Amino acid sequence: CIICSVCYAACDTVAGNADYLGPAALQRAWTLYNDAKHDARSEILDAVSGVGGCHNCHSMGSCTVYCPNELDPMSAIAGLKRETSRNFFRKRR
């Protein structure tokens, strides 16, 4: 990510939800979550599953379409959604 904010500007959710973290921040969270050297995976999931987190994404895909670096924030956000859901159910056991 070159932090250009094109994905943020293209995101429909950002326009309607001032609390939403946005695709760039969530893409970065996904990168950190998957980094073997990063040991705070649970904290990352807690941070992105709260108010304004990954579950607010409507999966429209504009962030991915307009990314000039050809990243895929929508897939990263989908990964965060999947992992936060798994984490939620693990905690309920």
Coordinates of all heavy atoms in Angstrom, one line a residue:
C1 N 0.8 -1.2 0.0 CA 0.0 0.0 0.0 C 0.9 1.2 0.0 O 1.8 1.3 0.8 CB -0.9 0.0 1.2 SG -2.0 1.4 1.4
I2 N 0.5 2.2 -0.8 CA 1.3 3.4 -0.9 C 0.6 4.6 -0.2 O 1.0 5.7 -0.3 CB 1.6 3.8 -2.4 CG1 0.3 3.9 -3.2 CG2 2.5 2.8 -3.0 CD1 0.5 4.4 -4.6
I3 N -0.4 4.2 0.5 CA -1.2 5.2 1.3 C -1.7 6.4 0.5 O -1.6 7.5 0.9 CB -0.4 5.6 2.6 CG1 0.1 4.4 3.3 CG2 -1.3 6.4 3.6 CD1 1.1 4.7 4.4
C4 N -2.3 6.1 -0.6 CA -2.8 7.1 -1.5 C -4.2 7.5 -1.2 O -4.7 8.5 -1.7 CB -2.6 6.7 -3.0 SG -3.7 5.3 -3.4
S5 N -4.9 6.7 -0.5 CA -6.3 6.9 -0.1 C -7.3 6.8 -1.2 O -8.5 7.1 -1.1 CB -6.5 8.2 0.6 OG -5.7 8.2 1.8
V6 N -6.9 6.2 -2.4 CA -7.9 6.0 -3.5 C -8.9 5.0 -3.0 O -10.1 5.2 -3.3 CB -7.1 5.6 -4.8 CG1 -8.1 5.2 -5.8 CG2 -6.3 6.7 -5.3
C7 N -8.5 4.0 -2.4 CA -9.5 2.9 -1.9 C -10.5 3.6 -0.9 O -11.7 3.3 -1.0 CB -8.8 1.7 -1.3 SG -7.9 2.1 0.2
Y8 N -10.0 4.4 -0.1 CA -10.8 5.1 0.9 C -11.9 6.0 0.2 O -13.0 6.0 0.6 CB -9.9 5.9 1.9 CG -10.6 6.4 3.1 CD1 -10.8 5.5 4.2 CD2 -11.1 7.7 3.2 CE1 -11.4 6.0 5.3 CE2 -11.7 8.1 4.3 CZ -11.9 7.3 5.4 OH -12.5 7.7 6.5
A9 N -11.4 6.7 -0.8 CA -12.3 7.6 -1.5 C -13.3 6.9 -2.3 O -14.4 7.3 -2.5 CB -11.5 8.5 -2.4
A10 N -13.0 5.7 -2.8 CA -13.9 4.9 -3.7 C -14.9 4.1 -2.9 O -15.9 3.6 -3.4 CB -13.1 3.9 -4.5
C11 N -14.7 4.0 -1.6 CA -15.5 3.1 -0.7 C -16.8 3.8 -0.4 O -16.9 4.9 0.2 CB -14.7 2.8 0.6 SG -15.6 1.8 1.7
D12 N -17.9 3.1 -0.7 CA -19.3 3.5 -0.4 C -19.5 3.5 1.1 O -20.3 4.4 1.6 CB -20.3 2.7 -1.1 CG -20.2 2.8 -2.6 OD1 -19.8 3.8 -3.1 OD2 -20.6 1.8 -3.3
T13 N -19.0 2.6 1.8 CA -19.2 2.5 3.2 C -18.6 3.7 4.0 O -19.2 4.2 4.9 CB -18.6 1.2 3.8 OG1 -19.2 0.1 3.1 CG2 -18.9 1.0 5.3
V14 N -17.5 4.1 3.5 CA -16.8 5.3 4.2 C -17.8 6.5 4.1 O -17.9 7.3 5.0 CB -15.5 5.6 3.5 CG1 -15.0 7.0 3.9 CG2 -14.5 4.5 3.8
A15 N -18.4 6.7 2.9 CA -19.3 7.8 2.7 C -20.5 7.8 3.7 O -20.9 8.9 4.1 CB -19.8 7.8 1.3
G16 N -20.9 6.7 4.1 CA -22.1 6.6 4.9 C -21.9 6.2 6.4 O -22.8 6.2 7.2
N17 N -20.6 6.0 6.8 CA -20.3 5.6 8.1 C -19.0 6.2 8.6 O -17.9 5.7 8.2 CB -20.2 4.1 8.2 CG -19.9 3.5 9.6 OD1 -19.6 4.3 10.5 ND2 -20.1 2.2 9.7
A18 N -19.0 7.3 9.3 CA -17.8 8.0 9.7 C -16.9 7.2 10.7 O -15.7 7.5 10.8 CB -18.2 9.3 10.4
D19 N -17.5 6.2 11.3 CA -16.7 5.3 12.2 C -15.9 4.2 11.5 O -15.1 3.6 12.1 CB -17.6 4.7 13.2 CG -18.2 5.7 14.2 OD1 -17.6 6.7 14.5 OD2 -19.3 5.5 14.6
Y20 N -16.3 4.0 10.2 CA -15.6 2.9 9.5 C -14.1 3.1 9.3 O -13.7 4.2 8.9 CB -16.3 2.7 8.1 CG -15.8 1.6 7.3 CD1 -15.8 0.3 7.8 CD2 -15.4 1.8 6.0 CE1 -15.4 -0.8 7.0 CE2 -15.0 0.7 5.2 CZ -15.0 -0.6 5.7 OH -14.5 -1.6 5.0
L21 N -13.3 2.1 9.6 CA -11.9 2.2 9.5 C -11.4 2.4 8.1 O -10.4 3.1 7.9 CB -11.2 0.9 10.1 CG -11.4 0.7 11.6 CD1 -10.9 -0.7 12.0 CD2 -10.8 1.8 12.4
G22 N -12.1 1.8 7.2 CA -11.7 2.0 5.7 C -10.9 0.8 5.2 O -10.2 0.1 6.0
P23 N -10.8 0.7 3.9 CA -10.1 -0.4 3.3 C -8.6 -0.4 3.5 O -8.0 -1.5 3.7 CB -10.5 -0.3 1.8 CG -11.1 1.0 1.6 CD -11.6 1.5 2.9
A24 N -8.0 0.7 3.5 CA -6.5 0.8 3.7 C -6.1 0.3 5.0 O -5.2 -0.6 5.2 CB -6.0 2.2 3.4
A25 N -6.8 0.7 6.1 CA -6.5 0.3 7.4 C -6.8 -1.2 7.6 O -6.0 -1.9 8.3 CB -7.3 1.1 8.4
L26 N -7.9 -1.7 7.0 CA -8.2 -3.1 7.2 C -7.3 -4.0 6.4 O -6.9 -5.1 6.8 CB -9.7 -3.3 6.8 CG -10.7 -2.6 7.8 CD1 -12.1 -2.7 7.2 CD2 -10.6 -3.3 9.1
Q27 N -6.8 -3.5 5.2 CA -5.8 -4.2 4.4 C -4.5 -4.3 5.2 O -3.9 -5.4 5.3 CB -5.5 -3.4 3.1 CG -4.3 -3.9 2.3 CD -4.6 -5.1 1.5 OE1 -5.7 -5.1 0.8 NE2 -3.8 -6.1 1.4
R28 N -4.1 -3.3 5.9 CA -2.9 -3.3 6.8 C -3.1 -4.3 7.9 O -2.2 -5.0 8.3 CB -2.6 -1.9 7.3 CG -1.4 -1.8 8.1 CD -0.1 -2.2 7.3 NE 1.1 -2.1 8.2 CZ 2.1 -2.9 8.1 NH1 2.2 -3.8 7.1 NH2 3.1 -2.8 8.9
A29 N -4.3 -4.3 8.5 CA -4.5 -5.2 9.6 C -4.4 -6.6 9.2 O -3.9 -7.5 9.9 CB -5.9 -4.9 10.2
W30 N -4.9 -6.9 8.0 CA -4.8 -8.3 7.4 C -3.4 -8.7 7.2 O -3.0 -9.8 7.5 CB -5.7 -8.4 6.1 CG -5.7 -9.7 5.5 CD1 -5.2 -10.0 4.3 CD2 -6.3 -10.9 6.0 NE1 -5.4 -11.4 4.0 CE2 -6.1 -11.9 5.1 CE3 -6.9 -11.2 7.2 CZ2 -6.5 -13.2 5.3 CZ3 -7.3 -12.5 7.4 CH2 -7.1 -13.5 6.5
T31 N -2.6 -7.7 6.7 CA -1.2 -8.0 6.5 C -0.5 -8.3 7.8 O 0.3 -9.3 7.9 CB -0.5 -6.8 5.8 OG1 -1.2 -6.5 4.5 CG2 1.0 -7.0 5.6
L32 N -0.8 -7.5 8.8 CA -0.1 -7.8 10.1 C -0.6 -9.1 10.7 O 0.1 -9.8 11.3 CB -0.5 -6.6 11.1 CG 0.3 -5.3 10.8 CD1 -0.3 -4.2 11.7 CD2 1.8 -5.5 10.9
Y33 N -1.9 -9.4 10.5 CA -2.5 -10.6 11.1 C -1.8 -11.8 10.5 O -1.6 -12.8 11.1 CB -4.0 -10.7 10.7 CG -4.6 -11.9 11.2 CD1 -5.0 -12.1 12.6 CD2 -4.9 -13.0 10.4 CE1 -5.6 -13.2 13.1 CE2 -5.5 -14.2 10.9 CZ -5.8 -14.3 12.2 OH -6.4 -15.4 12.7
N34 N -1.4 -11.8 9.2 CA -0.7 -12.9 8.5 C 0.8 -12.8 8.6 O 1.4 -13.7 8.1 CB -1.2 -12.9 7.1 CG -2.6 -13.4 6.9 OD1 -2.9 -14.5 7.2 ND2 -3.5 -12.5 6.5
D35 N 1.3 -11.9 9.3 CA 2.8 -11.8 9.5 C 3.2 -12.7 10.6 O 2.8 -12.6 11.8 CB 3.2 -10.3 9.8 CG 4.7 -10.1 9.9 OD1 5.4 -11.1 10.0 OD2 5.1 -8.9 9.9
A36 N 4.0 -13.7 10.3 CA 4.5 -14.7 11.3 C 5.2 -14.0 12.4 O 5.3 -14.6 13.5 CB 5.4 -15.7 10.6
K37 N 5.8 -12.9 12.2 CA 6.6 -12.2 13.3 C 5.7 -11.4 14.2 O 6.2 -11.0 15.3 CB 7.7 -11.3 12.7 CG 8.7 -12.0 11.8 CD 9.6 -11.0 11.1 CE 8.8 -10.5 10.0 NZ 9.5 -9.8 9.0
H38 N 4.5 -11.2 13.9 CA 3.6 -10.4 14.7 C 2.9 -11.4 15.6 O 2.2 -12.3 15.2 CB 2.6 -9.7 13.8 CG 1.9 -8.5 14.4 ND1 0.9 -8.6 15.3 CD2 2.2 -7.2 14.3 CE1 0.5 -7.4 15.7 NE2 1.3 -6.6 15.1
D39 N 2.9 -11.1 16.9 CA 2.4 -12.0 17.9 C 1.1 -11.5 18.6 O 0.6 -12.1 19.5 CB 3.4 -12.3 19.0 CG 3.9 -11.1 19.7 OD1 3.5 -10.0 19.4 OD2 4.6 -11.3 20.7
A40 N 0.5 -10.5 18.1 CA -0.8 -9.9 18.7 C -2.0 -10.2 17.8 O -2.8 -9.3 17.6 CB -0.6 -8.5 19.0
R41 N -2.1 -11.4 17.3 CA -3.2 -11.7 16.3 C -4.5 -11.5 16.9 O -5.4 -11.0 16.3 CB -3.0 -13.1 15.8 CG -1.8 -13.2 14.9 CD -1.6 -14.7 14.5 NE -2.7 -15.1 13.7 CZ -2.6 -15.9 12.7 NH1 -1.5 -16.4 12.3 NH2 -3.7 -16.2 11.9
S42 N -4.7 -11.9 18.2 CA -6.0 -11.8 18.8 C -6.4 -10.3 19.0 O -7.5 -9.9 18.8 CB -6.0 -12.5 20.2 OG -7.2 -12.4 20.8
E43 N -5.4 -9.5 19.3 CA -5.7 -8.0 19.5 C -6.1 -7.4 18.2 O -6.9 -6.5 18.1 CB -4.4 -7.3 20.1 CG -4.2 -7.6 21.5 CD -3.4 -8.9 21.7 OE1 -3.1 -9.7 20.8 OE2 -3.1 -9.2 22.9
I44 N -5.5 -7.8 17.1 CA -5.8 -7.3 15.8 C -7.3 -7.6 15.5 O -8.1 -6.8 15.0 CB -4.9 -7.9 14.7 CG1 -3.5 -7.3 14.8 CG2 -5.5 -7.6 13.3 CD1 -2.5 -8.0 14.0
L45 N -7.7 -8.9 15.7 CA -9.1 -9.3 15.5 C -10.0 -8.5 16.3 O -11.1 -8.1 15.9 CB -9.2 -10.8 15.7 CG -8.5 -11.7 14.7 CD1 -8.7 -13.1 15.0 CD2 -8.9 -11.4 13.2
D46 N -9.7 -8.3 17.6 CA -10.5 -7.5 18.5 C -10.7 -6.0 17.9 O -11.8 -5.5 18.0 CB -9.9 -7.4 19.9 CG -10.1 -8.7 20.6 OD1 -10.9 -9.6 20.2 OD2 -9.3 -8.9 21.6
A47 N -9.6 -5.5 17.4 CA -9.6 -4.1 16.9 C -10.5 -3.9 15.7 O -11.1 -2.9 15.5 CB -8.2 -3.6 16.6
V48 N -10.4 -4.9 14.8 CA -11.2 -4.8 13.6 C -12.6 -5.4 13.6 O -13.3 -5.2 12.6 CB -10.4 -5.4 12.4 CG1 -9.1 -4.8 12.2 CG2 -10.3 -6.9 12.5
S49 N -13.0 -5.9 14.8 CA -14.3 -6.5 14.8 C -15.3 -5.6 15.6 O -16.5 -5.9 15.7 CB -14.3 -7.9 15.5 OG -13.9 -7.8 16.8
G50 N -14.8 -4.5 16.1 CA -15.6 -3.6 16.9 C -16.4 -2.6 16.0 O -16.5 -2.8 14.7
V51 N -16.9 -1.6 16.6 CA -17.7 -0.5 15.8 C -16.8 0.0 14.8 O -15.6 0.4 15.0 CB -18.1 0.6 16.8 CG1 -18.8 1.7 16.1 CG2 -19.1 0.0 17.8
G52 N -17.3 0.1 13.6 CA -16.5 0.7 12.4 C -15.5 -0.3 11.8 O -14.7 0.0 11.0
G53 N -15.6 -1.6 12.3 CA -14.6 -2.6 11.8 C -15.0 -3.3 10.5 O -15.9 -2.8 9.7
C54 N -14.4 -4.4 10.3 CA -14.5 -5.1 9.0 C -15.9 -5.5 8.6 O -16.3 -5.6 7.5 CB -13.6 -6.3 8.9 SG -13.9 -7.5 10.2
H55 N -16.8 -5.8 9.6 CA -18.1 -6.3 9.4 C -19.0 -5.2 8.8 O -20.2 -5.4 8.4 CB -18.7 -6.9 10.6 CG -18.0 -8.2 10.9 ND1 -18.2 -9.4 10.3 CD2 -17.0 -8.5 11.8 CE1 -17.4 -10.3 10.8 NE2 -16.7 -9.8 11.7
N56 N -18.6 -3.9 8.8 CA -19.3 -2.9 8.2 C -19.2 -2.8 6.7 O -20.0 -2.1 6.0 CB -18.9 -1.5 8.8 CG -19.4 -1.3 10.2 OD1 -20.5 -0.9 10.4 ND2 -18.5 -1.7 11.1
C57 N -18.2 -3.5 6.2 CA -17.9 -3.5 4.7 C -19.1 -4.1 4.0 O -19.6 -5.2 4.3 CB -16.6 -4.3 4.4 SG -16.3 -4.5 2.7
H58 N -19.5 -3.5 2.9 CA -20.6 -4.0 2.1 C -20.1 -4.9 0.9 O -20.9 -5.3 0.1 CB -21.5 -2.8 1.5 CG -22.1 -2.0 2.6 ND1 -22.4 -0.7 2.5 CD2 -22.5 -2.3 3.9 CE1 -22.9 -0.2 3.5 NE2 -23.0 -1.2 4.4
S59 N -18.8 -5.1 0.8 CA -18.2 -5.9 -0.3 C -18.6 -5.5 -1.7 O -18.8 -6.3 -2.5 CB -18.6 -7.4 0.0 OG -18.2 -7.8 1.2
M60 N -18.6 -4.2 -1.9 CA -18.9 -3.6 -3.2 C -17.7 -3.8 -4.2 O -17.9 -3.9 -5.4 CB -19.3 -2.2 -3.1 CG -20.5 -1.9 -2.3 SD -22.0 -2.6 -3.1 CE -22.3 -1.5 -4.4
G61 N -16.5 -3.8 -3.6 CA -15.3 -4.0 -4.4 C -14.6 -2.8 -5.0 O -13.6 -2.9 -5.7
S62 N -15.2 -1.6 -4.8 CA -14.6 -0.4 -5.4 C -13.2 -0.2 -5.0 O -12.3 0.3 -5.7 CB -15.4 0.9 -5.0 OG -16.7 0.8 -5.6
C63 N -12.9 -0.5 -3.7 CA -11.5 -0.4 -3.2 C -10.5 -1.2 -4.0 O -9.4 -0.7 -4.3 CB -11.5 -0.8 -1.7 SG -12.1 -2.5 -1.4
T64 N -10.9 -2.4 -4.4 CA -10.0 -3.2 -5.2 C -9.9 -2.8 -6.6 O -8.8 -2.7 -7.2 CB -10.5 -4.7 -5.1 OG1 -10.4 -5.1 -3.7 CG2 -9.7 -5.6 -6.0
V65 N -11.0 -2.4 -7.2 CA -11.1 -1.9 -8.6 C -10.2 -0.7 -8.8 O -9.4 -0.7 -9.8 CB -12.5 -1.6 -9.0 CG1 -12.5 -0.9 -10.4 CG2 -13.4 -2.9 -9.0
Y66 N -10.2 0.2 -7.9 CA -9.5 1.5 -8.1 C -8.1 1.5 -7.5 O -7.4 2.5 -7.6 CB -10.3 2.7 -7.6 CG -11.5 2.9 -8.4 CD1 -12.8 2.5 -8.0 CD2 -11.4 3.4 -9.7 CE1 -13.9 2.7 -8.7 CE2 -12.5 3.6 -10.5 CZ -13.8 3.2 -10.0 OH -14.9 3.3 -10.8
C67 N -7.6 0.5 -6.8 CA -6.3 0.5 -6.2 C -5.2 0.6 -7.2 O -5.1 -0.3 -8.1 CB -6.1 -0.8 -5.3 SG -4.4 -0.8 -4.6
P68 N -4.4 1.7 -7.2 CA -3.4 1.8 -8.2 C -2.2 0.9 -8.1 O -1.4 0.7 -9.0 CB -2.9 3.3 -8.1 CG -3.2 3.6 -6.6 CD -4.4 2.8 -6.3
N69 N -2.1 0.2 -6.9 CA -1.1 -0.7 -6.6 C -1.5 -2.2 -6.9 O -0.8 -3.1 -6.5 CB -0.6 -0.5 -5.2 CG 0.9 -0.5 -5.1 OD1 1.6 -0.2 -6.0 ND2 1.4 -0.8 -3.9
E70 N -2.7 -2.3 -7.4 CA -3.3 -3.6 -7.7 C -3.4 -4.6 -6.4 O -3.2 -5.8 -6.5 CB -2.6 -4.3 -8.8 CG -2.7 -3.5 -10.1 CD -2.0 -4.2 -11.3 OE1 -1.4 -5.3 -11.1 OE2 -2.0 -3.6 -12.4
L71 N -3.6 -4.0 -5.3 CA -3.9 -4.7 -4.1 C -5.4 -5.1 -4.1 O -6.1 -4.7 -4.9 CB -3.6 -3.9 -2.8 CG -2.1 -3.5 -2.7 CD1 -1.9 -2.6 -1.5 CD2 -1.2 -4.7 -2.6
D72 N -5.8 -6.0 -3.2 CA -7.1 -6.5 -3.1 C -7.7 -6.3 -1.7 O -7.9 -7.3 -0.9 CB -7.1 -7.9 -3.5 CG -8.5 -8.5 -3.7 OD1 -9.5 -7.7 -3.5 OD2 -8.6 -9.7 -4.0
P73 N -8.0 -5.0 -1.3 CA -8.5 -4.8 0.0 C -9.8 -5.6 0.3 O -10.1 -6.0 1.4 CB -8.8 -3.3 0.1 CG -8.0 -2.7 -1.0 CD -7.8 -3.8 -2.0
M74 N -10.7 -5.8 -0.7 CA -11.9 -6.5 -0.5 C -11.7 -7.9 0.0 O -12.3 -8.4 0.9 CB -12.8 -6.5 -1.7 CG -14.2 -7.0 -1.4 SD -15.3 -6.9 -2.8 CE -14.7 -8.2 -3.9
S75 N -10.7 -8.6 -0.6 CA -10.4 -9.9 -0.1 C -9.7 -9.9 1.2 O -10.0 -10.8 2.1 CB -9.4 -10.6 -1.1 OG -10.1 -10.9 -2.3
A76 N -8.9 -8.9 1.5 CA -8.4 -8.8 2.9 C -9.4 -8.6 3.9 O -9.4 -9.2 5.0 CB -7.4 -7.6 2.9
I77 N -10.4 -7.8 3.6 CA -11.5 -7.5 4.5 C -12.4 -8.8 4.7 O -12.8 -9.1 5.8 CB -12.4 -6.3 4.0 CG1 -11.6 -5.1 4.1 CG2 -13.7 -6.2 4.9 CD1 -12.2 -3.9 3.3
A78 N -12.6 -9.5 3.6 CA -13.3 -10.8 3.7 C -12.5 -11.8 4.6 O -13.1 -12.5 5.4 CB -13.5 -11.4 2.3
G79 N -11.2 -11.8 4.5 CA -10.4 -12.6 5.4 C -10.5 -12.2 6.8 O -10.7 -13.1 7.7
L80 N -10.6 -10.9 7.1 CA -10.8 -10.4 8.5 C -12.2 -10.8 9.0 O -12.3 -11.2 10.1 CB -10.6 -8.9 8.5 CG -9.2 -8.4 8.4 CD1 -9.1 -6.9 8.3 CD2 -8.3 -8.9 9.6
K81 N -13.2 -10.7 8.1 CA -14.5 -11.1 8.5 C -14.6 -12.6 8.9 O -15.1 -13.0 9.9 CB -15.5 -10.9 7.4 CG -15.8 -9.4 7.1 CD -16.8 -9.3 5.9 CE -17.2 -8.0 5.6 NZ -18.1 -7.9 4.4
R82 N -13.9 -13.4 8.1 CA -13.9 -14.8 8.3 C -13.2 -15.1 9.7 O -13.7 -15.9 10.5 CB -13.2 -15.5 7.2 CG -13.1 -17.0 7.3 CD -12.5 -17.7 6.0 NE -11.1 -17.1 5.8 CZ -10.8 -16.3 4.7 NH1 -11.7 -15.9 3.9 NH2 -9.6 -15.9 4.6
E83 N -12.0 -14.5 9.9 CA -11.2 -14.8 11.1 C -11.9 -14.2 12.3 O -11.8 -14.9 13.4 CB -9.8 -14.3 10.9 CG -9.0 -15.1 9.9 CD -8.9 -16.6 10.1 OE1 -8.7 -17.0 11.3 OE2 -9.1 -17.3 9.2
T84 N -12.5 -13.1 12.3 CA -13.2 -12.5 13.4 C -14.4 -13.4 13.8 O -14.6 -13.6 15.0 CB -13.6 -11.1 13.2 OG1 -14.4 -11.0 12.1 CG2 -12.4 -10.1 13.1
S85 N -15.1 -13.9 12.8 CA -16.2 -14.8 13.1 C -15.7 -16.1 13.7 O -16.3 -16.6 14.7 CB -16.9 -15.2 11.8 OG -17.5 -14.0 11.3
R86 N -14.6 -16.7 13.2 CA -14.0 -17.9 13.8 C -13.6 -17.6 15.3 O -13.8 -18.4 16.2 CB -12.8 -18.4 13.0 CG -13.2 -19.1 11.8 CD -11.9 -19.6 11.1 NE -12.3 -20.2 9.8 CZ -11.5 -20.3 8.8 NH1 -10.2 -19.9 8.9 NH2 -11.9 -20.9 7.7
N87 N -13.0 -16.5 15.5 CA -12.5 -16.1 16.8 C -13.7 -16.0 17.8 O -13.6 -16.4 18.9 CB -11.7 -14.8 16.7 CG -10.9 -14.5 18.0 OD1 -10.3 -15.4 18.5 ND2 -11.0 -13.3 18.4
F88 N -14.7 -15.4 17.3 CA -15.9 -15.2 18.1 C -16.5 -16.6 18.6 O -16.8 -16.8 19.8 CB -17.0 -14.5 17.3 CG -18.3 -14.4 18.1 CD1 -18.6 -13.5 19.1 CD2 -19.4 -15.3 17.7 CE1 -19.8 -13.4 19.7 CE2 -20.6 -15.2 18.4 CZ -20.8 -14.3 19.4
F89 N -16.6 -17.5 17.7 CA -17.1 -18.8 18.0 C -16.1 -19.6 18.9 O -16.6 -20.4 19.7 CB -17.6 -19.6 16.8 CG -18.8 -19.0 16.2 CD1 -18.8 -18.3 15.0 CD2 -20.0 -19.1 16.9 CE1 -20.0 -17.8 14.5 CE2 -21.2 -18.5 16.4 CZ -21.2 -17.9 15.2
R90 N -14.8 -19.4 18.7 CA -13.9 -20.1 19.6 C -14.0 -19.6 21.0 O -13.9 -20.4 21.9 CB -12.4 -19.8 19.1 CG -12.0 -20.8 18.0 CD -10.5 -20.5 17.7 NE -10.3 -20.6 16.3 CZ -9.8 -19.7 15.5 NH1 -9.4 -18.5 16.0 NH2 -9.7 -19.9 14.2
K91 N -14.2 -18.4 21.2 CA -14.3 -17.8 22.5 C -15.6 -18.2 23.2 O -15.6 -18.3 24.4 CB -14.4 -16.2 22.5 CG -13.0 -15.6 22.2 CD -13.1 -14.1 22.1 CE -11.8 -13.5 21.9 NZ -11.9 -12.0 21.9
R92 N -16.6 -18.6 22.5 CA -17.9 -19.0 23.1 C -17.9 -20.4 23.6 O -18.8 -20.8 24.3 CB -19.0 -18.9 22.1 CG -19.3 -17.4 21.7 CD -20.5 -17.3 20.9 NE -21.7 -17.9 21.5 CZ -22.7 -17.3 22.0 NH1 -22.7 -15.9 22.0 NH2 -23.7 -17.9 22.5
R93 N -16.9 -21.2 23.3 CA -16.8 -22.6 23.7 C -16.5 -22.7 25.2 O -15.9 -22.0 25.9 CB -15.7 -23.3 23.0 CG -16.1 -23.6 21.6 CD -15.1 -24.4 20.9 NE -15.4 -24.5 19.5 CZ -14.6 -25.0 18.6 NH1 -13.4 -25.5 19.0 NH2 -14.9 -25.1 17.3

